[in-house]
Amino acid sequence: MQAKAVRMRQCQLGELLFFWDNGIRLRHSGLAVDIPRRQPFGFISHAHSDHIARHELALCTPATGEFYRLRLGNRPVREVPFGQVIQTGNSRLCLFPAGHCLGSAMLWVEAEGQTLLYTGDFRLGESATAERAQVPRADVLIMESTYGLPRYRMPPRSEVVELLRQRVLWACSNDWLPVVVAYSLGKAQEVLALLGPLKLPIYVHKTIYAISEVYKKFGVKLPGYELLHENVRPPAVVIVPPGSAPSLWWPRQWKLAVTGWAIDPATPYRLRVDEALPLTDHADFDGLIGLVELVKPRRVYCLHGPEVFVEHLRARGWDARPLGRPTQYRLF
């Protein structure tokens, strides 16, 4: 009987707190977690477009709330600072910095005598513009695993930053206009801060400009920058989001993408750039493993990455399983 009871408790790990219904839903608060479709009550870990929707009420940090309204208009938001415990339904919730971009948060939940941590997108290492990640312990971990293959081990950040600066200076000294391709929220501001010491004029796309103004409002120090115009010429730096095609008069443009996918040799061809550098705001393979070791969960659920990452965790002794696969049914 005791063995049967232990097995029952093991089966219930996590399922007492959440279920999968084409997205993560918390049982005791009615909170939908990072579901990019309109919900009555939705947690937003950060304001990248694949994590937000026009919820009837959104729960997020103050910085994420600002970006959310900037992108989707004046929406109802319950803003919760990092470290503040709130009660919703029969659950206690707390937000912890995720290190992904300014305001990005991990969600910690306590209910039914269990604790759960949902990471969202996260980065454990240093950032020039985002709060450093703080990782609490939890019984159950739901984690993103984007770079869940061993080949996605990033080189030391300092080396990538130095290479970025060198390539920008090389381009300018050879009469090229360096155009850095970076996501408008998070990566672009990181690039801004990292290129500041070069003392070059920096011109940014209008969406990057608007988001950078929010960063400054929340006390993040950025170097001077101006709104991009067509007459920019070297020596200067241009920062644009992926997929934009700004009209620039200067014909000699050297396009640099900054992304963890730069580990793959084909990335410059796929992104149609001259060069790609592995500067990422996601945890690499070792960072993913490191997070599990910090949380010390009894069970791990993996999202948004290669399913084989589950096997890597199991080989290290963790009770891991994939979440959100097409073949998976609602958890009870």
Side-chain angles (χ1 to χ4, degrees):
M1 288 295 292
Q2 284 185 334
K4 183 177 180 180
V6 169
R7 286 196 297 271
M8 286 294 292
R9 287 196 298 272
Q10 287 295 321
C11 290
Q12 291 176 336
L13 262 179
E15 286 87 330
L16 289 174
L17 300 183
F18 80 96
F19 64 89
W20 180 266
D21 183 18
N22 200 20
I24 298 165
R25 299 182 186 275
L26 301 185
R27 290 191 180 279
H28 299 88
S29 62
L31 185 63
V33 179
D34 262 359
I35 296 179
R37 305 181 305 278
R38 184 181 178 91
Q39 304 294 321
F41 188 26
F43 168 67
I44 300 173
S45 65
H46 64 287
H48 283 151
S49 58
D50 57 338
H51 290 258
I52 61 176
R54 289 179 171 85
H55 301 313
E56 294 174 30
L57 177 63
L59 176 73
C60 60
T61 63
T64 295
E66 195 81 13
F67 297 130
Y68 177 57
R69 288 186 291 265
L70 178 65
R71 291 191 147 178
L72 296 183
N74 190 21
R75 308 296 308 166
V77 177
R78 182 177 181 182
E79 295 180 352
V80 180
F82 291 124
Q84 178 179 311
V85 178
I86 64 170
Q87 189 86 25
T88 62
N90 294 323
S91 300
R92 295 172 70 236
L93 309 179
C94 189
L95 305 186
F96 291 86
H100 180 57
C101 60
L102 181 66
S104 62
M106 301 184 189
L107 174 66
W108 181 89
V109 182
E110 182 181 43
E112 295 284 350
Q114 290 187 12
T115 54
L116 178 149
L117 180 68
Y118 167 78
T119 67
D121 293 340
F122 73 93
R123 167 179 49 183
L124 296 182
E126 178 186 353
S127 170
T129 55
E131 305 90 347
R132 187 154 192 150
Q134 296 178 19
V135 184
R137 297 279 295 273
D139 299 316
V140 178
L141 172 64
I142 303 176
M143 66 181 297
E144 69 100 348
S145 52
T146 301
Y147 292 128
L149 296 175
R151 74 170 181 268
Y152 292 115
R153 287 184 164 101
M154 304 297 156
R157 173 184 163 89
S158 58
E159 293 180 8
V160 181
V161 171
E162 182 59 27
L163 182 57
L164 171 64
R165 291 170 176 164
Q166 288 177 1
R167 300 307 287 163
V168 165
L169 290 174
W170 170 86
C172 288
S173 65
N174 285 277
D175 213 27
W176 290 89
L177 180 65
V179 178
V180 182
V181 180
Y183 286 117
S184 56
L185 169 57
K187 191 71 70 65
Q189 290 72 37
E190 190 81 354
V191 169
L192 257 172
L194 295 176
L195 293 183
L198 299 184
K199 305 298 183 183
L200 291 169
I202 302 176
Y203 297 88
V204 301
H205 188 273
K206 61 183 180 180
T207 59
I208 295 173
Y209 189 98
I211 291 171
S212 298
E213 292 296 291
V214 176
Y215 267 69
K216 291 198 298 185
K217 177 180 175 179
F218 279 85
V220 178
K221 293 183 179 180
L222 296 174
Y225 53 88
E226 297 182 40
L227 195 59
L228 180 61
H229 59 80
E230 64 179 11
N231 294 320
V232 174
R233 58 179 298 163
V237 187
V238 170
I239 307 176
V240 299
S244 66
S247 176
L248 296 174
W249 172 79
W250 195 258
R252 289 167 55 84
Q253 299 171 31
W254 188 263
K255 293 184 178 179
L256 284 156
V258 284
T259 171
W261 300 116
I263 294 294
D264 296 326
T267 295
Y269 306 99
R270 180 171 59 84
L271 299 182
R272 298 182 181 181
V273 295
D274 298 293
E275 195 170 359
L277 302 180
L279 184 69
T280 182
D281 49 15
H282 286 263
D284 69 356
F285 181 82
D286 291 330
L288 296 174
I289 300 293
L291 177 104
V292 179
E293 293 171 346
L294 288 171
V295 177
K296 294 181 169 53
R298 289 188 286 161
R299 177 168 295 170
V300 184
Y301 294 95
C302 299
L303 275 171
H304 308 312
E307 192 165 338
V308 70
F309 180 65
V310 168
E311 301 304 323
H312 288 289
L313 290 180
R314 288 176 177 168
R316 288 166 169 79
W318 300 103
D319 177 6
R321 54 194 69 188
L323 184 62
R325 303 301 176 188
T327 55
Q328 182 165 352
Y329 297 98
R330 177 171 168 149
L331 295 174
F332 290 98

